[in-house]
Amino acid sequence: PDRLLLSARKDTGLHNLSDAPLMEPLGRLCAALNAEALLSPFGRIVQGTRLKTLIVNRLRLDDLMRRHPEILRQPDPEILLIAGLARTGTTLLHRSLASDPNARSAASWETLNPAPIPREKPGHPTKRQKRGKQAQRMMGWLAPDFAAVHPVDANQPEEDILLLDLTMISQTAEAVSWVPSYSAWLETIDHRPAYAYLRDVLKTLNWLRPGTHWVLKTPNHAEQLAAVFDIFPRATVLMTHRDPVKTVASCASLMAHTVGLSTDAVDPEAIARHWLRKSVRMADRAKAARAANPNRKVIDIDYNSLIADPGRVIDDIYALHGAPLTDTGAASATYAALQPKPAAGKTHAYALSDFGLTENEVRSAFSTYLADHPELERTAAHG
């Protein structure tokens, strides 16, 4: 961790960091990567580069906030926050809602380099956009099948978990590497400081490129819904739901793909069982947070209803949110255009048996969740 910080400071010429978390979680993550992740030589380069880039971005953002105190004096942002479990239609919903011309979301290129870089003209982030395109091409080269699992486009909205990563407190590390000790530690700590820093980053990005409201999305929010309620009390939370038998194998396949970029020793069954337990924990914690905060604005969205009539669902969201959508037709058209298609002839094929799981095992693990959402099993045949 110290070497990474020293290198990032040398590259940027910046030294001061805000009080938001960084060094303790970075230290624990580095220890887990070294001891548990079985990184290949290439994987060590990938993970080391990722961590150093996050520190570089953190130094640049903290410096920008320090030089422009008016950034943090802005009002807290209006937010539509998607907090469904993985593979429940969150990406399609996110990109549809973000198609509103007045909406603000973090584009993929922006999550990779959220702060202006040296010699970049104000209001013209062309260098960062170019780097985003380069990263997209690199991903296509490293993992040509990945686009069939999760579409990546430098100019499309991306998960804001990549902004939470600036504190090294998020699910990303366990999604891209096998780090069980770090994952266990994350479950013992308070994530509110990470979300408080996310709020500051959103204000910074809105200062650089304004919008009327934010559309955010990551399954991380489901696990940390209590922190969301505390840090973003006026947010409208959108909880997407889908039969877990349909989602668990898909999630495991996605995680096995990402972990496989950094190691030659992928254990699909261990990954699947980790994310099965993790997903149940996320659902249970989201339920508990909602019970403890009954007055928060939360909208439940059934995946099958979303697929069948996205226009109606989007209209309902904005009606319940209390703010009009500028162009519902555009959002619906965006949704239709984003429906999954084979990427370069590839399809995302997976089955529970590929990961040593059975349908009964998944239903048993999610028994409480399914009891709360019986409509999911009734419509499973159409999912």
Side-chain angles (χ1 to χ4, degrees), residues 16 130 201:
N16 295 325
K130 182 178 179 180
V201 173

Side-chain angles (χ1 to χ4, degrees), residues 267-323:
D267 185 340
E269 292 193 12
I271 290 172
R273 293 190 180 280
H274 172 80
W275 284 100
L276 173 60
R277 184 196 66 82
K278 185 83 171 179
S279 297
V280 172
R281 169 185 163 84
M282 291 159 67
D284 289 346
R285 283 175 60 85
K287 178 182 178 180
R290 293 179 65 172
N293 296 272
N295 296 322
R296 301 300 191 198
K297 193 179 295 185
V298 182
I299 303 172
D300 291 296
I301 300 167
D302 172 57
Y303 173 85
N304 292 287
S305 298
L306 181 63
I307 294 296
D309 193 351
R312 182 186 63 78
V313 171
I314 291 168
D315 280 341
D316 289 348
I317 287 170
Y318 273 85
L320 292 167
H321 176 58

Side-chain angles (χ1 to χ4, degrees), residues 77-81 97 100 212-215 234-238 297-299 313-325:
E78 293 281 345
I79 295 175
L80 282 170
L81 185 141
L97 294 173
D100 181 351
T212 60
H213 64 280
W214 278 87
V215 183
R234 294 185 294 116
T236 296
V237 175
L238 311 177
K297 193 179 295 185
V298 182
I299 303 172
V313 171
I314 291 168
D315 280 341
D316 289 348
I317 287 170
Y318 273 85
L320 292 167
H321 176 58
L325 177 64

Side-chain angles (χ1 to χ4, degrees), residues 120-258:
E120 183 179 85
K121 294 180 181 179
H124 297 277
T126 52
K127 289 185 178 181
R128 287 183 287 153
Q129 291 169 340
K130 182 178 179 180
R131 291 185 181 184
K133 282 288 188 183
Q134 291 170 339
Q136 179 184 339
R137 288 194 294 270
M138 179 64 73
M139 177 61 77
W141 177 72
L142 291 174
D145 296 341
F146 187 75
V149 185
H150 177 73
V152 177
D153 186 316
N155 294 316
Q156 285 285 350
E158 191 48 86
E159 291 195 19
D160 42 286
I161 193 171
L162 300 179
L163 302 176
L164 279 169
D165 285 351
L166 293 160
T167 62
M168 306 287 174
I169 296 177
S170 81
Q171 294 175 355
T172 298
E174 57 191 313
V176 300
S177 50
W178 181 250
V179 284
S181 64
Y182 172 79
S183 302
W185 175 74
L186 279 182
E187 294 183 1
T188 69
I189 66 170
D190 183 2
H191 287 235
R192 287 171 181 81
Y195 273 86
Y197 189 73
L198 173 62
R199 179 184 58 201
D200 292 348
V201 173
L202 296 180
K203 288 185 177 183
T204 304
L205 297 182
N206 204 66
W207 182 77
L208 291 166
R209 182 163 61 92
T212 60
H213 64 280
W214 278 87
V215 183
L216 304 180
K217 184 273 282 195
T218 177
N220 194 104
H221 297 325
E223 186 175 16
Q224 303 303 330
L225 202 55
V228 168
F229 287 150
D230 281 357
I231 303 301
F232 302 117
R234 294 185 294 116
T236 296
V237 175
L238 311 177
M239 296 290 299
T240 52
H241 302 280
R242 189 182 183 189
D243 180 9
V245 168
K246 300 289 185 181
T247 63
V248 168
S250 180
C251 177
S253 177
L254 171 63
M255 301 311 177
H257 271 81
T258 54

